Amino acid sequence: MFGPFFHTVLIEQIFGLYLLIMALIFLSRVSFYREVVRNMKATSGAVFLSSSFGLLLGLFLVVIHNFWMWEPRIVVTILCWVVLIRSILWLAFPEKMVERTKIIAAGPGYYVVLILLAILGVFLMTRGFYVYIGS
């Protein structure tokens, strides 16, 4: 169980659960979260704070999981890089990111993003927890 890619399994489990839980919550409270996004301001301390933590998390994840092999594990690597790049974009261009987030949240893109996140979450959970099925 504690092989050379044990951290991959942990990241898959954590990200899988996180993405699925968040997608389900956001799908169950659509009007509430659309209102949150509508009231979002680029100058908000929450944007700076969450982006700063996202940058720290992204750097940590990229350093410990940067495997560019053509196999399912690459999904975790890409996800780690997405966390890092998005955090950098939120810190560098908060006005543009808030604007784009508002556009996506106001239309059908909201549901598309959440469904994709749920599918990705299930995929990662399946990969991460599959290790324990055979044991």
Side-chain angles (χ1 to χ4, degrees), residues 9 31 105 125 128:
V9 173
S31 59
M125 282 177 26

Side-chain angles (χ1 to χ4, degrees), residues 17 29 33 36 45 51-52 80-81 86 98 103 110 116:
L17 286 167
R29 308 266 334 257
Y33 287 106
V36 168
S51 300
S52 296
C80 294
W81 276 97
R86 281 185 50 111
V98 167
I103 291 169
Y110 181 85
L116 291 174

